[in-house]
Amino acid sequence: MAKNYLNIILFTLFISSLCCYAQEVKVFTVKDFDLKDSVKTCLVSTKYGKEEYNFNKKGLLTKSVTRYSDSDYDVVLYKYANGELLEKRSETYRDNKFDPSTSIAHFFELDTTSNRKVIEKIISYDKEFLDNYIYHYDDKGDLVRMIRTNNEGTDETLVEYKKYKGEYTVTYLLNEVPLKSIRTSNRKKNGAVQKIVLTKEFLKGEPNKAIEEVFDVNELLLERQEFDYNVTEKKFVPTVRTTYNYDKNGMLESEIIADGNSTEKKEYIYQFDGEEGGNWIKKIIKPDNAYTTRKITYYKAESEKKEEE
């Protein structure tokens, strides 16, 4: 809900945008797209274009289509084995023609002979080798090392975990140079426990940007503070601050964005379908009156139809 379709943008960049540092293999489900219940398909329409998502009966994403026009679109296909990602294919279509030069395939292999290890091979549809990733996990199941190999050489990303005075920090280092750190801690405010996640990004090992996010016990995002690093003062300086408000069902009602001396407020109005899951099918953002619509189909509707027949 508070994600505001951030994941819709991020997941298309998932594995193919690993130029900065490798990321752990992620499996996307209906929850990542603000969906509930046994959703089969979801067609999202905005003034910018259309997105289509297909899920299997376990709620795993199996196909996504991003349409820029009737003839230009991208398709991403996912295959699984026992809930593990087995294959991901990113296909490009322009003027209704498949473009193999810009289409790539990701193949995953799981090795559990000792600690968990995942091997990812990336090749183009022109049969050109692009990258090979090996993800190593410790005996607790945490990702600890990622090795990337391509024609330019080999890079190693280490993932370090530290606990100190109630804070939990995960640090990513590429060839021993810091890339990113994520620190998680808790605090009590007005009698309620809140989770604080501070993410710092580094550029060539030097601090660059940061984001601090505050979540409630239901994982709803309450506050988001952005920072830029001031090289002269050698500290992070706050920039944009956003606060979020929800209704009793956890739906985002409004957000207030403060940037310097300017403040902007956005309000959200929803229309829901008649299904028990209660998914929204239209979202209006005021005062711009921009809107997003969703057309959703369910697996259970198909089952009920077969029973009636």
Side-chain angles (χ1 to χ4, degrees):
M1 298 146 189
K3 295 174 183 175
N4 290 328
Y5 274 86
L6 179 60
N7 279 327
I8 290 178
I9 300 171
L10 293 179
F11 97 96
T12 58
L13 305 174
F14 167 42
I15 298 174
S16 58
S17 63
L18 298 174
C19 58
C20 295
Y21 58 92
Q23 302 177 40
E24 185 173 5
V25 178
K26 178 171 173 58
V27 173
F28 291 94
T29 71
V30 293
K31 293 182 179 179
D32 291 300
F33 301 91
D34 195 11
L35 292 165
K36 307 174 185 176
D37 210 9
S38 53
V39 173
K40 181 180 181 181
T41 64
C42 178
L43 176 62
V44 184
S45 300
T46 70
K47 66 179 181 180
Y48 305 107
K50 294 182 178 180
E51 299 273 356
E52 180 183 335
Y53 306 101
N54 292 256
F55 305 90
N56 63 18
K57 290 186 177 180
K58 294 182 179 180
L60 301 178
L61 180 67
T62 58
K63 179 182 178 181
S64 70
V65 182
T66 302
R67 294 191 178 275
Y68 311 103
S69 67
D70 291 338
S71 59
D72 296 338
Y73 53 95
D74 295 331
V75 178
V76 185
L77 303 168
Y78 300 84
K79 289 186 178 180
Y80 305 90
N82 300 319
E84 297 278 356
L85 186 59
L86 188 67
E87 185 178 311
K88 174 191 173 185
R89 293 180 176 269
S90 302
E91 300 178 348
T92 302
Y93 294 82
R94 296 296 179 264
D95 295 325
N96 281 324
K97 293 181 180 179
F98 174 65
D99 185 359
S101 65
T102 57
S103 300
I104 59 177
H106 306 250
F107 299 99
F108 300 88
E109 179 183 345
L110 176 63
D111 183 354
T112 57
T113 52
S114 55
N115 288 342
R116 175 185 174 88
K117 181 170 70 174
V118 177
I119 302 171
E120 175 189 7
K121 296 180 180 179
I122 308 176
I123 61 173
S124 71
Y125 273 56
D126 288 337
K127 306 301 181 182
E128 178 186 357
F129 166 77
L130 299 176
D131 283 296
N132 186 84
Y133 289 89
I134 303 177
Y135 305 86
H136 295 267
Y137 298 79
D138 62 15
D139 53 5
K140 298 178 182 178
D142 292 326
L143 181 67
V144 293
R145 187 160 60 109
M146 295 171 281
I147 300 175
R148 175 189 183 185
T149 305
N150 56 27
N151 294 330
E152 297 179 357
T154 300
D155 291 315
E156 181 180 57
T157 300
L158 297 178
V159 188
E160 298 180 347
Y161 302 85
K162 292 183 179 180
K163 289 184 178 180
Y164 180 72
K165 293 185 177 181
E167 296 181 345
Y168 183 66
T169 304
V170 182
T171 304
Y172 295 81
L173 303 101
L174 175 60
N175 299 328
E176 301 183 351
V177 178
L179 283 172
K180 181 179 182 180
S181 70
I182 305 172
R183 188 186 71 194
T184 303
S185 59
N186 293 316
R187 74 180 183 192
K188 279 191 175 182
K189 186 174 181 180
N190 299 326
V193 177
Q194 295 180 341
K195 181 175 72 174
I196 304 173
V197 180
L198 176 62
T199 302
K200 294 182 180 179
E201 296 182 359
F202 299 84
L203 183 62
K204 296 181 180 180
E206 298 297 326
N208 185 35
K209 293 182 179 296
I211 296 175
E212 183 181 73
E213 297 173 305
V214 180
F215 299 85
D216 68 6
V217 292
N218 296 314
E219 291 295 322
L220 293 177
L221 179 60
L222 303 177
E223 302 171 11
R224 175 187 170 93
Q225 175 68 64
E226 300 178 29
F227 299 86
D228 283 337
Y229 189 76
N230 187 303
V231 178
T232 303
E233 298 181 5
K234 294 184 178 181
K235 67 178 182 178
F236 283 103
V237 179
T239 55
V240 181
R241 180 177 181 82
T242 308
T243 56
Y244 304 88
N245 299 290
Y246 303 85
D247 65 15
K248 62 180 180 180
N249 296 316
M251 298 297 297
L252 180 64
E253 282 188 320
S254 65
E255 60 179 301
I256 300 173
I257 305 167
D259 185 2
N261 296 323
S262 66
T263 301
E264 177 186 6
K265 182 177 182 179
K266 295 183 179 180
E267 295 181 304
Y268 296 84
I269 301 173
Y270 304 89
Q271 178 183 342
F272 296 86
D273 61 18
E275 298 296 325
E276 184 178 344
N279 285 304
W280 62 264
I281 54 176
K282 187 172 184 178
K283 177 171 67 175
I284 302 172
I285 305 175
K286 302 180 78 174
D288 298 334
N289 287 326
Y291 65 89
T292 299
T293 61
R294 305 196 300 186
K295 183 178 180 181
I296 301 170
T297 64
Y298 295 86
Y299 279 106
K300 71 176 184 179
E302 289 185 349
S303 302
E304 292 170 356
K305 184 177 181 181
K306 289 182 179 179
E307 290 178 1
E308 290 176 359
E309 294 175 347

